[in-house]
Amino acid sequence: MQGRTDVLNTPVDVSEDFYKLENEYYLAGPVIGFDAATGDGTIQWNYHRWVTDWSFNKMGRHLKKFAEAEIFWKEYEIDPKLRFNISFISQRTIRLRIKTTNVEQVVQPSLMLDGEPPKSNAWSAEDADTKAIYTSAHGSVTLHKTSFRIELHDSSGKHLTSTLGMELLEALHHKTIPFLFTKRVSDYSRSVAASFTMHHDEKIVGCGESFTALNKRGQKVVLCSTDAQSTATKEMYKPIPFFISSRGYGMFVHSSAPITMDFGNEYAGSKVIYCGEDGLDLFLFIGSPKEILFEYTAITGRSPLPPLWSFGLWMSRFTYNSQQQVNEVAERLRFHKIPCDVIHIDAGWFEHGINCDYKFSPQNFPDPQKMVKELKVQGFNISLWQLPYYTQGNPVFKEAVQKQLCVKDANGDLYAEDAILDFSNKAATEWYTEKITPLLQMGIAAIKGDFGEAAPYKGLYASGRTGFYEHNLYPLRYNKLLAKLTKQVTGENIIWARSAWAGSQRYPIHWGGDPEVSDTGMAGTLRGGLSLGLSGFSFWSHDIGGFLDAPEEELFARWAVFGLFTSHSRVHGFPPREPWEFSADFLNTFRSIVEMKYRLMPYIYTQASMCSRNGLPMLRALLLNYPEDETCWHIEDEYLFGDDILVAPIMEKNTTERKVYLPRGKWVNYITKEIYDGGSWLIIKAGILPGLILAKYGSLIPHITLAQSTAFMDWGTVELMAFVTGNDTAKGDFYLKDEDLIVTLEATNTNGQWVLQNKTGQIFTIKAFNEQE
């Protein structure tokens, strides 16, 4: 972190290495051999160094080509000739791989990819002396050979982006980096800077759970997982090396090394991917945001559908610490008729404080199996907190160290003070399996995988690599193992994880870390959720009310609207958290919001199933459904909840109205039943709830009779609410969960009678949104 002390696990900004005068730089030069049929070729990389210059009392610098290096033995190449490859995965996906050495390297199986990507024959090639052009139904890729340059166009011929070489930068006095790689003089390690053009009106979204502005243009994003301890910071629990451009393309950097992405921060006309890896493996996608997410998740995997109960309310605090307390919370939830499916026990179920030894305290939890069984009958599932770090006071510390299960330092000893479990170590995963499996066999429904962002960069791992490559993989290994163990025992796709990397979306659910108890914390949390959804994650949650302090009642109520209209809804943080610990008005408001979600469960589960199949997020930035609307690319304080519901939380204290942007079409206020014209900004007053919920006009949204748990819901009859007037047709989707089938339904009111096109065995009733109860 520039200008700050380099402390343990500070995110690594590799871009700084590309501006050091002492390092060596190799700029992409001519393509000296290329086979258009295979996509294999060779680039000559021209040797440069930074040199200083002087102009009217200002010192500057520029990259200067050197004819020869200070090399004693002349058999080393000054301008090395290195291999690259262009291949095609689908009609919309291109893969560019570039090497910075001719030495054969060990290729390890990728944890980030969901299997080896296929190869597509849908691209035709035209090869000439100076360039090669590949074309599919959706776009084209041009390789310029005189000086290596890649151009990307869509099917209409519109220019999307191009690599930036030195020949395009000579007039810029090196305000940006051209396409090159560097060799560090400190250890001769290599890293790549992939420089691309950026158009004047281009907007960039994605990069994981980023709490900064949704549009990343003008930002420098450091992609290294860290314990952010905030949702109002540029640091991230879940960085993802993937982004989408408003221009109609996206990119994914297939690497676990530290990555920094500069989106016009140093120079407005370029974006530079600084990749710590000693080579480049870059996937490029052509299409709309939805099409790009579909392509990206086709290669990195999609989120499987979590169990129905997980979409209900999760009640928690930091922390319940006894069996009696958990049972009392369950009793009070049912007494106050607050629907709930999960009670989460955080770091309070151990005998030795928060030292995780994977055993219930015999004193505080005398019969945990009985507790789990009895609560299950009442419609509650139990979730448990744990983590893979062990302090010296932890009963398992000595065992983990003696069995060599932890990350080591350069001397082969324990790294730092805590024992950090090494998930690249087979013995460690087997040991961890022995700790987690009995809990799941007891009936625990979900394991919370807290932390995971602190794998030391300089640590040594059983994989044979250092933390430079393992740090960002640690969350992925952690997520994968917990999900595998849960699936083996319960058959369900569910964990509760904080950290992530590319590919972690295959192991839902992830939650948004530790937000401040403030409007700022709430706003940053929403931005993080939107950005993560634009990075391939379908399901997400956050701590309703903020984590780091006791919530204020007014903020808690506003946050509850946002939190319950998120795929997964958990109340968690410092106490009090239970709604009956606040005023009667708050209790009633909170209950009403929860009841609304539970009545909407058929819609929610249908949308979840659709998202799981297509790689789309439940909590969705407006730009995904309305990419042609320029305004939607800037909206970061409202969102779509699935396809048909728009949510605009109240983001300021003591406010009952807010400015809302509604995309094209008509929208219906779910509470007041008012109809608004879209394509404009409106000031709308909240109704009886402290937030705005709107349904898309023309939608047909399924509801179900209220129950106190999803386990008690009667799916025999589902009510369809038609958000239309007169004889207009309402249309919607419904998930037949027993058949794992999504059907599209249409309903029209003809002469006062609803006519439904229903070819299923499901029983539906229909009513208009404005009919009286």
Side-chain angles (χ1 to χ4, degrees), residues 349 356-359 384-388 390 421 423 428-444 446-449 478 481-487 489-490 495:
W349 56 286
C356 171
D357 61 359
Y358 307 101
K359 296 178 182 179
L384 287 182
W385 177 93
Q386 57 79 63
L387 83 169
Y390 315 113
L421 199 63
F423 285 118
T429 63
E430 291 172 350
W431 178 85
Y432 186 73
T433 297
E434 293 173 358
K435 303 297 183 184
I436 295 296
T437 299
L439 298 170
L440 295 166
Q441 291 171 335
M442 179 190 295
I444 298 302
I447 302 293
K448 177 177 174 179
Y478 185 16
L481 181 56
L482 265 182
K484 175 186 173 184
L485 298 178
T486 305
K487 182 78 170 179
V489 177
T490 72
I495 63 172

Side-chain angles (χ1 to χ4, degrees), residues 305 308 311 600-613 618 643 702 715 732-737 741-743:
L305 184 63
L308 175 65
F311 292 86
L600 281 165
M601 202 56 71
Y603 168 80
I604 291 168
Y605 210 45
T606 295
Q607 293 294 319
S609 179
M610 294 168 66
C611 290
S612 175
R613 296 167 190 230
M618 282 281 287
D643 278 320
W715 291 79
D733 298 297
F734 183 75
Y735 178 51
L736 298 166
K737 56 189 179 68
L741 179 67
I742 298 172
V743 295

Side-chain angles (χ1 to χ4, degrees), residues 606 644 698-702 718-721 729-736 742-748 755-766:
T606 295
D644 298 328
S699 59
L700 189 64
I701 296 180
V718 171
E719 180 184 79
L720 301 175
M721 187 173 290
T729 297
K731 185 176 180 180
D733 298 297
F734 183 75
Y735 178 51
L736 298 166
I742 298 172
V743 295
T744 299
L745 305 171
E746 290 189 13
T748 306
V755 177
L756 175 67
Q757 296 181 14
N758 176 20
K759 297 181 181 179
T760 74
Q762 175 70 45
I763 298 174
F764 296 102
T765 61
I766 310 175

Side-chain angles (χ1 to χ4, degrees), residues 2 14 24 29 108 145 160 235 292 297 323 358 398 414 492 494 497 534 613-614 661 695 713:
Q2 194 170 8
V14 291
E24 298 177 355
Q108 301 192 23
K145 301 178 184 178
L160 303 179
E235 296 181 344
I292 290 168
T297 55
Q323 185 169 332
Y358 307 101
K398 187 175 181 180
L414 186 67
E492 295 181 323
I494 181 76
L534 290 165
R613 296 167 190 230
N614 298 312
Y661 182 77
M713 286 181 172

Side-chain angles (χ1 to χ4, degrees), residues 412-478:
D413 297 320
L414 186 67
Y415 198 100
E417 296 296 316
D418 294 347
I420 302 170
L421 199 63
D422 180 359
F423 285 118
S424 75
N425 183 337
K426 186 172 183 292
T429 63
E430 291 172 350
W431 178 85
Y432 186 73
T433 297
E434 293 173 358
K435 303 297 183 184
I436 295 296
T437 299
L439 298 170
L440 295 166
Q441 291 171 335
M442 179 190 295
I444 298 302
I447 302 293
K448 177 177 174 179
D450 207 353
F451 294 89
E453 309 92 352
Y457 291 103
K458 295 180 181 179
L460 299 180
Y461 296 76
S463 65
R465 296 186 289 192
T466 70
F468 192 78
Y469 289 94
E470 283 291 342
H471 175 89
N472 284 328
L473 279 183
Y474 194 94
L476 182 53
R477 293 186 189 276
Y478 185 16

